Amino acid sequence: AMPPYKDASALVEVRVRDLLGRMTLREKAAQMAQIERTVASARALTELGAGSVLNGGGSAPGDRSPACWADMVDGMQRLALSSRLGVPILYGTDAVHGHNNVFGATVFPHNVGLGAARDPELVRRIGEATALEVRATGIKWTFAPCVAVCRDPRWGRCYESYSEDPEMVRSLATIVTGLQGEPPADHPHGYPFLGSVREKVLACAKHFVGDGGTDRGINEGNTICSYDELEDIHMAPYLDCMAQGVATVMASHSKWNGERLHSCRCLLTDVLKGKLGFKGFVISDWKGIDKICEPRAPQGSEYRYCIAQSVNAGMDMIMIPYRFEEFLEHLVSLVETGEIPLSRIDDAVERILRVKFISGVFEHPFSDPSLLDIIGCKEHRLLAREAVRKSMVLLKNGKNQKEPFLPLVKNVKRILVTGTHADDIGFQCGGWTVGWNGNSGKITPGTSILEAIKESVGVQTEVVYEACATEATIESGEFSYAVVVVGEVPYSETVGDRTDLSIPFNGSDLITRVASTIPTLVIVVSGRPLDIETQVLEKIDALVAAWLPGTEGMGIADCLFGYQDFVGKLPVTWHRSVDQLPINSGDANYDPLFPVGYGLNMFQS
Ligand SMILES: OC[C@@H]1[C@@H](O)[C@H](O)[C@@H](O)c2nc(-c3ccccc3)cn21
């Protein structure tokens, strides 16, 4: 007869119990390992039975095409299914603003822009679309949403946070329902959920906990605050994710009052699993356990100690990602010596198997080719365009109260478009797009801001474009107005940590040169507020924060030319000067350039 764990009609907990009972210690330990795709060999997947595979930031198969991804994942799955007990892998990827690693996928605005849009239903729909594009490549798990509450824009991951306001972040946790599906009303709190196997993916709330609150915004730094502040500001969104049945949680590289989250039993076990009742599994971040021995010993040394500390603290799966066999030997040995109780291993593997069974991966281990052309489809691009439009924040509209500058007049004779970010898809997508840190140029199909402007103005209008307008051009006259598009180059994580938030490439100089002669709209393409000097702000006629809009640049033109009004409001404080940082709504003497919640519509100025 069929063993219960292979019986799709059996209760999940029965299948978990049955399979766990059949596994050797080594097989259990292997399920707790997540390895990188480049080391996912037959030995790792079939002989040793690693539980999970991921692709790191920019790691991708072949030409990054959807079919290439699906073939890769299916190939790994076949290897896993040939293992002794035939336990399929869970493949995970960072689809954090669409299926951003895949060439041709729809790239949605990064989270800070969605925080500006403040539309929970829109974010749920984005989750739905993202889930479909991820499933089309045979992948069933995304390391999203990042529910960080970014309290300091110097942090390189500010753009991955919806807002500095925990209530705003909580309201946008609806993406979990979009990604995983809506759990039934009687769904047990904290228990992982997945709706349709065909169209939904497992989500991962990250990075638990306090990743956005580190001192001076230093990535992987130290969050210094009371337990109550940690709970009220940084932990609150996890309750909303769990109420929606989030299947996994990723631990943060950061520390709380000096204690590393990756080895913090109090927060990972007593709080998350105990007090909050989380029943899915906790995964480490990339080489997250390798840092546990720091600063006493160099990262990556004392691996046995690192494994013992993290697993005993409550880590269920380790994103190793390359030292799999070493990890396996140490973990098995640690249990044999009693340094890690077998009950801890059984708890971890039980959680992992529970998520695998509810994900349907036992019944549907392979990709679904019929979904392939949903990647980058028109409907998803229209959804992304709506999200771009709603994320635009109008910060200045006209030099005096009576004459709004926007909407831009379409049928004018001649306009100037200039700036480093006017015609660069890579720049407008930001980090975590095709490459880990993102790139510049035509990295994937999309519409740049310049292309969107050209498509929106009248046929008679001459659009003059120069990445950096020369004096000759500026003085050549007859421009009805200029659009200057400046901002940040793409970055992710520590690469994006800044103490200087001035506009790169001498953006302020370009703005001043153009605005001294021509009526000027400035668009800032950035993952966070940048310094706008008072004299620059006074010189320009209008200012729009576009954040990191992704591939659908038409959404920006929709607002500029008045097809749709501006609805975006600042999700983060726009500081006057970096000397004020951190500055958050609710602070005493809160005196920003623009406060959280600020945003004009076209009829205001
Ligand atoms: O991609 C997997 C995870 C992702 O989910 C986390 O949010 C993020 O902290 C992260 N950094 C790296 C990573 C960092 C440096 C080099 C290589 C990889 C990998 N990852």
Side-chain angles (χ1 to χ4, degrees):
M2 180 191 297
Y5 80 90
K6 286 190 185 273
D7 177 357
S9 66
L11 287 173
V12 165
E13 292 308 314
V14 167
R15 301 179 77 181
V16 169
R17 181 72 45 220
D18 175 58
L19 180 49
L20 193 67
R22 297 168 187 269
M23 294 172 90
T24 65
L25 172 58
R26 180 173 295 274
E27 286 168 334
K28 291 176 181 178
Q31 279 300 307
M32 295 170 66
Q34 180 179 71
I35 61 177
E36 218 279 333
R37 54 173 279 277
T38 52
V39 295
S41 61
R43 172 160 171 75
L45 297 181
T46 309
E47 285 178 56
L48 300 173
S52 175
V53 181
L54 88 153
N55 57 273
S59 166
D63 60 1
R64 295 178 183 281
S65 66
C68 223
W69 281 90
D71 290 348
M72 171 190 72
V73 178
D74 287 349
M76 291 174 183
Q77 200 61 283
R78 273 191 290 280
L79 291 174
L81 293 174
S82 313
S83 61
R84 184 178 77 88
L85 292 166
V87 181
I89 56 163
L90 273 182
Y91 188 100
T93 195
D94 296 89
V96 295
H97 60 144
H99 197 358
N100 37 258
N101 287 317
V102 174
F103 183 83
T106 311
V107 182
F108 292 89
H110 266 298
N111 286 354
V112 66
L114 299 179
R118 50 185 63 195
D119 180 339
E121 177 54 16
L122 170 73
V123 166
R124 192 192 59 74
R125 289 191 288 141
I126 289 174
E128 272 188 348
T130 302
L132 278 167
E133 300 203 17
V134 172
R135 290 293 290 109
T137 57
I139 297 173
K140 293 179 179 55
W141 182 21
T142 177
F143 303 126
C146 174
V147 287
V149 181
C150 176
R151 305 291 285 174
D152 191 321
R154 289 174 289 189
W155 187 35
R157 307 192 75 165
C158 180
Y159 67 87
E160 296 184 65
S161 166
Y162 291 117
S163 173
E164 73 182 45
D165 175 357
E167 291 312 307
M168 178 53 63
V169 177
R170 296 187 62 183
S171 73
L172 299 179
T174 48
I175 188 164
V176 172
T177 298
L179 289 168
Q180 300 190 155
E182 173 99 35
D186 62 350
H187 184 74
H189 181 82
Y191 198 85
F193 175 79
L194 193 81
S196 123
V197 174
R198 189 169 177 278
E199 299 163 350
K200 298 300 179 188
V201 294
L202 300 166
C204 179
K206 72 186 187 182
H207 309 76
F208 188 84
V209 63
D211 52 347
T214 58
D215 179 38
R216 285 164 289 145
I218 294 168
N219 189 46
E220 305 186 10
N222 189 20
T223 296
I224 304 162
C225 66
S226 68
Y227 180 76
D228 285 351
E229 279 172 307
L230 188 73
E231 202 170 64
D232 296 344
I233 297 173
H234 300 288
M235 207 178 289
Y238 287 85
L239 280 80
D240 300 278
C241 293
M242 285 169 53
Q244 296 171 78
V246 73
T248 66
V249 167
M250 186 182 295
S252 178
H253 278 305
S254 58
K255 296 166 272 301
W256 175 50
N257 296 337
E259 177 150 15
R260 216 172 260 289
L261 260 295
H262 271 64
S263 54
C264 181
R265 183 196 182 91
C266 162
L267 291 173
L268 293 182
T269 298
D270 303 341
V271 172
L272 178 60
K273 296 178 177 178
K275 183 178 178 194
L276 304 185
F278 181 57
K279 296 287 186 296
F281 69 80
V282 180
I283 183 168
S284 79
D285 202 335
W286 181 277
K287 293 187 186 173
I289 71 167
D290 298 34
K291 298 173 177 143
I292 288 173
C293 54
E294 286 178 332
R296 182 167 42 78
Q299 169 179 334
S301 61
E302 299 194 18
Y303 202 41
R304 182 187 173 86
Y305 165 80
C306 295
I307 295 166
Q309 289 297 102
S310 61
V311 172
N312 278 330
M315 200 71 77
D316 301 312
M317 184 178 281
I318 311 297
M319 187 186 295
I320 295 175
Y322 299 120
R323 307 166 73 170
F324 175 41
E325 299 208 34
E326 189 186 351
F327 168 84
L328 198 54
E329 291 316 311
H330 282 315
L331 185 49
V332 168
S333 156
L334 283 160
V335 178
E336 285 165 348
T337 62
E339 289 164 88
I340 297 180
L342 179 60
S343 59
R344 175 70 272 275
I345 300 299
D346 285 347
D347 172 56
V349 180
E350 191 177 286
R351 290 167 178 272
I352 292 165
L353 296 182
R354 175 177 298 139
V355 171
K356 287 190 175 183
F357 283 120
I358 65 124
S359 77
V361 71
F362 277 83
E363 283 67 50
H364 304 276
F366 299 111
S367 64
D368 176 351
S370 71
L371 286 172
L372 274 179
D373 49 16
I374 209 162
I375 291 179
C377 67
K378 188 77 194 140
E379 185 188 351
H380 289 178
R381 289 186 187 273
L382 286 174
L383 174 61
R385 177 171 172 174
E386 175 188 350
V388 171
R389 174 171 61 73
K390 291 181 172 177
S391 66
M392 294 298 110
V393 182
L394 182 54
L395 296 171
K396 179 175 182 180
N397 187 22
K399 280 185 172 163
N400 59 52
Q401 296 310 313
K402 284 177 291 303
E403 293 155 56
F405 188 75
L406 294 182
L408 297 176
V409 180
K410 282 176 43 177
N411 301 312
V412 291
K413 189 169 175 302
R414 198 162 181 261
I415 65 174
L416 172 64
V417 177
T418 184
T420 46
H421 289 56
D423 190 29
D424 193 315
I425 296 286
F427 279 6
Q428 68 192 56
C429 286
W432 295 102
T433 314
V434 180
W436 175 50
N437 284 301
N439 283 294
S440 68
K442 293 188 182 307
I443 59 171
T444 193
T447 307
S448 74
I449 297 169
L450 172 67
E451 289 164 345
I453 291 173
K454 283 181 173 175
E455 200 161 311
S456 305
V457 294
V459 288
Q460 310 298 337
T461 305
E462 183 191 358
V463 179
V464 173
Y465 166 66
E466 281 181 348
C468 185
T470 61
E471 280 313 303
T473 300
I474 293 168
E475 300 306 330
S476 67
E478 295 160 41
F479 288 115
S480 302
Y481 53 79
V483 180
V484 183
V485 192
V486 294
E488 296 186 293
V489 295
Y491 51 79
S492 48
E493 302 192 54
T494 308
V495 173
D497 280 3
R498 291 275 184 287
T499 52
D500 166 5
L501 290 176
S502 58
I503 300 175
F505 307 113
N506 294 322
S508 294
D509 297 349
L510 173 64
I511 293 167
T512 304
R513 286 195 295 112
V514 173
S516 302
T517 312
I518 310 167
T520 294
L521 158 66
V522 171
I523 300 174
V524 179
V525 175
S526 65
R528 55 196 156 190
L530 298 178
D531 302 347
I532 308 272
E533 296 86 356
T534 309
Q535 69 274 18
V536 172
L537 187 56
E538 282 164 358
K539 259 196 184 4
I540 64 180
D541 297 85
L543 174 63
V544 168
W547 314 109
L548 297 171
T551 49
E552 304 314 305
M554 281 306 294
I556 298 174
D558 291 340
C559 293
L560 301 187
F561 294 95
Y563 292 115
Q564 306 280 350
D565 195 356
F566 285 84
V567 295
K569 306 290 180 201
L570 286 183
V572 290
T573 297
W574 201 290
H575 57 276
R576 269 179 212 290
S577 147
V578 288
D579 303 334
Q580 295 181 298
L581 299 180
I583 174 173
N584 296 121
S585 180
D587 290 353
N589 316 316
Y590 182 62
D591 174 34
L593 184 60
F594 302 110
V596 170
Y598 186 82
L600 301 172
N601 64 42
M602 253 180 309
F603 309 100
Q604 293 171 296
S605 61

